[in-house]
Structures are given as C-alpha cells and as structure tokens.
Amino acid sequence: MEVYTAATLFLSPSLRVLSLDMPHHNAQILNSLFKSLEATTPWLEHLGLWCYLDLSQEELKSSFSSFIARLQAIKSLDLRFSHVSSTTMTILSTVSKSLTKLSIMERGRSTTQPALSSTLSELNSVSFPLLHSLIAPFSPTLASIHARIAETSSLREISLFVNGGDRFADCVERSLATYNRCRGLKSLLIRYNPISLPSHDPTRDSITSFHLSHLSSPTFSTLTMLSIDGPVSYDLEDKDLQQISRWCPKLQIFSMVTGPIYSFIKPEPKVTLEGMITFARAMIDLDHLVLPINAYPMDVPPNPDSRIPSLSVWDSSYSWFDNPVQVAEILVNHFPFLNCNQESADKSREREGGDDPWVRRYQRSREGFATILEVIRKTRMGPNEPSPDPGTGHDSSHDTNSLGDENVE
C-alpha cells in the first residue's frame, strides 16, 4: 500500500494520461490508490486500468465511484477487469457522455466469477454521444446493449470479441445486423476470444453468404478495414466475394482468417484463384488481403486489364495449392505492387510435428504459400539474386520447383 500511495505523491494535477497494471488484487491497496488518484488527477483524459477489481466491499466501491465521477475531462477508458459487477457499469455511466474511446474486456476469470457479458446490461440506459472507438465483448445476449451503443454514438472503429460459448458465425451475423445503423464507420473487426471453452463443436461452425448479408447496408459502404478472425471455415463462392466488393468498395484491408483444422476439415474452399484476382482487381484501394482460396491456376486469364490494383500484401496460407509456382507467376502478372514479406515466408516454412493427415495437409499448404512468396521475391529482386532457403542459407530454386510439382495428399 505504501508503494502505491507514495507513487501518487509524484502525480501532477495536470496529468492527462495514466495506465495502471495491477496483477494482484488487494482491496486495501486499491482503496488507498483510488482515494489518492481522486485528489491528484482531476484533469485526466486517458485512463488504463488493468486489475482484479471486486466492488462487493462498500468502502472500495465508494472510493472507485468517487474517483471515476471526478474524471469529468475523461476521453478514453481502457478497462481490463476479472471481477466485474453491475456496480462497475453503473459507475461507468457517470462519464459516458465525454468518452470518445471505450475498451472494456475480461482479463481472465474462473468459471465461478461473474462474466462481463452479464453485467453490460447496465449500459442499456447510457448514451455515448462522442464515442468513436469501441472494443468490447459480443454475444447474442448482448445485442440489445450494443444496439444502444450504436444508436447513441458516432462510432468509426469497432472491435468485437466473441468467446467460446457462442457460435462464431451466428455472432458475426448478429453483430453486422446490430451495427448496420452506424454512419461513417471505417473499421470493423470481429474476433474469437477463447476465454472459455466452446459449448459446441467448432468444426461445424461455418460462415456463409447469409452471415455476411447485412454488409449490404449503406453503413458498411464506407469501411476501409473489415477483419473476421475465428475458428470457422468459410463456405463462400466467387459470386459472394464479388458481392462484397460492391457493398464495400472502399476496403483497403480485407481479412477472413481461419485455422488449419477449420480449413481442411471441410471440403475445399469454393473461392477460386480467378475469383480472388477478380475481387482484388475490382477493389482499386485494396492493399492487404487475407483469404483462404482454392488456388488452381488453369482458368485464370493470363492478361490483366488496364486497371492497376494496389494489392501489396496477400496471405492465403491455409489455401489449397495445385501449382504454387504457376500461381505466383499469375499473381506477379496481375498485381505489380505485390511483394514478399520475408517474415511471412520464414513462418510459412515452419513445420509442425505429427502424423495426422490434417497436420500434413496444413504443412503442405504452408509450404505452398512459402513457395509463392519466394517466387514473388525472386521476381522483384531480379534473376541474378538467388533466394536463400530459410534456415539453410542455400539457393532454394530447386526446392521451389519440386514443391510446385508435389501432389497434396
């Protein structure tokens, strides 16, 4: 307690930014700290508070409430709590009208402790007129609370995290339906947050065109970044991708991340190499693309049109490759700014042990993607500069060609 109290003696009333990370919960320390902060930080604008906070004790609740209520100039709150009660959210409502950024997440908890999801209902009567950025958990039971935030804010950036107890695909659909009323939205991220074990078989979870249909709302036409990252496969076809390009024409980053088991436990991806190229060339501002595809090159037009797309980063490392070398040559022809990221190439060469067929499939996919990156890099560097094989240092041109001829099991 003396350490925290002594530290507050050096805080100036003019302090604008404060971040506190307290890994161990001690009510006496926190109570003393909040009282000191209330007296020394009246003009604080940005507060980060990561701690095990339990407001069941009246004295601690009183000191925390007084501290937060005093922050009339507060603009940004970054809260990571493990012990969260409805009281916490009620206290938060006292400063909601001045907030421009709110990040409120769980920091790991036991199954006996109350979930943050069950306490966010306190926000139903709160308005956020200046809120531009939101980071928060999402589940179907929280949709009404999120709807309230969407109706009373000016959100530009949204990051939503889905825990293992909810079907990820359903949450993607529900979150798009909830936030289709925000005007001027620029960035939307929906990500799996494995804070609890799944209550269902995640390998049966698949995102289809239905789950993305709300992207047709004019709200999402202003998006420059759309990222969906979860333990699912993507049951999408070329026509679905082209529809997204019409709904979200300003995308600069488009990412649909999956994992090896969720990619390969299902049938082959339906999005083809031709479909991916058509999509990326239609999106003139698209710079970064992450998308699992079925990369068979035989049907791709060899000569691109006159449009010069911006795509410079492509990661499709969980795709199915028939001939990686030919795929790379087609990509170089269609995307003049596409480059190889050496860190990505090195990572793609990493191998995982095991004899499971899905692990082998994953390894072959990663090797195929590494081959593509190496061919692109050698093309950009010129023919006289050999590409060292990561981890060995020797010229990998022979390995590259042999990888392209292998048949995936």
Side-chain angles (χ1 to χ4, degrees):
M1 180 176 66
E2 293 177 356
V3 174
Y4 284 104
T5 303
T8 60
L9 295 177
F10 297 96
L11 296 177
S12 166
S14 61
L15 186 68
R16 296 293 185 268
V17 180
L18 177 64
S19 294
L20 297 172
D21 188 351
M22 294 167 283
H24 302 291
H25 168 67
N26 183 297
Q28 190 175 7
I29 290 177
L30 290 175
N31 186 51
S32 177
L33 176 65
F34 292 143
K35 288 182 177 179
S36 298
L37 290 174
E38 179 186 354
T40 55
T41 57
W43 302 110
L44 200 63
E45 295 180 356
H46 306 279
L47 172 64
L49 186 58
W50 296 23
C51 66
Y52 290 81
L53 185 63
D54 182 1
L55 298 179
S56 59
Q57 301 181 36
E58 285 298 323
E59 186 177 6
L60 182 58
K61 181 179 72 173
S62 176
S63 60
F64 179 67
S65 178
S66 297
F67 165 55
I68 294 296
R70 181 80 182 273
L71 302 177
Q72 294 306 305
I74 196 71
K75 296 180 180 178
S76 172
L77 278 178
D78 182 5
L79 306 178
R80 298 290 188 275
F81 292 160
S82 292
H83 302 253
V84 181
S85 68
S86 59
T87 303
T88 311
M89 310 315 301
T90 302
I91 293 171
L92 177 61
S93 68
T94 62
V95 295
S96 64
K97 288 181 173 57
S98 65
L99 288 177
T100 61
K101 181 177 181 180
L102 173 62
S103 174
I104 179 165
M105 294 292 295
E106 292 177 305
R107 197 189 181 189
R109 58 182 175 81
S110 73
T111 56
T112 59
Q113 294 166 350
L116 178 58
S117 300
S118 64
T119 64
L120 277 176
S121 59
E122 294 295 325
L123 293 178
N124 265 330
S125 59
V126 181
S127 63
F128 297 83
L130 303 179
L131 194 65
H132 287 174
S133 176
L134 173 69
I135 302 175
F138 187 92
S139 71
T141 59
L142 289 178
S144 60
I145 295 97
H146 281 276
R148 175 66 181 172
I149 296 176
E151 291 169 357
T152 64
S153 64
S154 304
L155 284 170
R156 297 292 180 268
E157 302 175 356
I158 303 173
S159 296
L160 305 176
F161 293 83
V162 179
N163 68 39
D166 299 298
R167 287 189 178 275
F168 186 78
D170 291 342
C171 288
V172 169
E173 187 274 332
R174 192 68 180 271
S175 61
L176 292 176
T178 301
Y179 282 100
N180 67 2
R181 58 194 75 177
C182 294
R183 302 300 179 187
L185 191 62
K186 297 295 184 182
S187 174
L188 175 60
L189 179 148
I190 307 172
R191 178 171 293 175
Y192 178 68
N193 183 33
I195 195 171
S196 60
L197 294 176
S199 58
H200 60 282
D201 181 2
T203 62
R204 298 180 180 272
D205 207 2
S206 182
I207 289 181
T208 67
S209 58
F210 164 76
H211 298 104
L212 302 179
S213 60
H214 293 288
L215 287 173
S216 61
S217 168
T219 288
F220 301 113
S221 64
T222 56
L223 281 178
T224 58
M225 194 279 278
L226 175 61
S227 177
I228 300 175
D229 180 354
V232 293
S233 62
Y234 293 95
D235 189 11
L236 301 173
E237 301 180 5
D238 289 352
K239 61 181 179 64
D240 301 317
L241 211 57
Q242 309 323 316
Q243 190 68 270
I244 293 174
S245 71
R246 291 188 285 270
W247 291 338
C248 309
K250 298 182 180 181
L251 284 178
Q252 299 173 16
I253 299 174
F254 180 61
S255 176
M256 301 192 77
V257 181
T258 183
I261 187 172
Y262 306 105
S263 295
F264 303 136
I265 204 75
K266 300 280 185 176
E268 297 181 15
K270 296 179 180 178
V271 174
T272 66
L273 178 61
E274 181 180 11
M276 184 275 282
I277 290 176
T278 303
F279 172 77
R281 293 190 64 84
M283 310 279 287
I284 197 65
D285 295 322
L286 188 66
D287 176 75
H288 192 126
L289 176 63
V290 181
L291 183 71
I293 66 171
N294 195 334
Y296 290 93
M298 62 283 294
D299 296 326
V300 178
N303 299 316
D305 57 35
S306 59
R307 290 167 60 91
I308 301 179
S310 302
L311 188 67
S312 64
V313 179
W314 174 61
D315 187 343
S316 190
S317 55
Y318 297 142
S319 293
W320 297 52
F321 296 106
D322 178 53
N323 189 325
V325 174
Q326 188 178 355
V327 170
E329 292 170 349
I330 291 172
L331 291 174
V332 169
N333 190 37
H334 280 269
F335 302 107
F337 300 112
L338 190 62
N339 287 296
C340 169
N341 183 297
Q342 186 58 46
E343 182 179 351
S344 296
D346 293 343
K347 184 177 180 180
S348 294
R349 284 296 190 194
E350 295 175 359
R351 293 177 176 268
E352 294 187 7
D355 295 327
D356 187 278
W358 301 117
V359 173
R360 291 198 301 272
R361 163 68 75 176
Y362 168 62
Q363 291 172 348
R364 293 292 181 86
S365 175
R366 296 298 291 179
E367 290 171 0
F369 182 60
T371 296
I372 291 173
L373 294 181
E374 289 173 4
V375 171
I376 292 174
R377 182 162 65 91
K378 291 174 70 174
T379 302
R380 301 301 187 212
M381 291 171 60
N384 297 323
E385 300 187 50
S387 172
D389 183 63
T392 65
H394 72 272
D395 186 350
S396 61
S397 58
H398 298 296
D399 298 331
T400 297
N401 291 328
S402 64
L403 277 171
D405 295 333
E406 283 187 344
N407 293 320
V408 178
E409 295 177 3

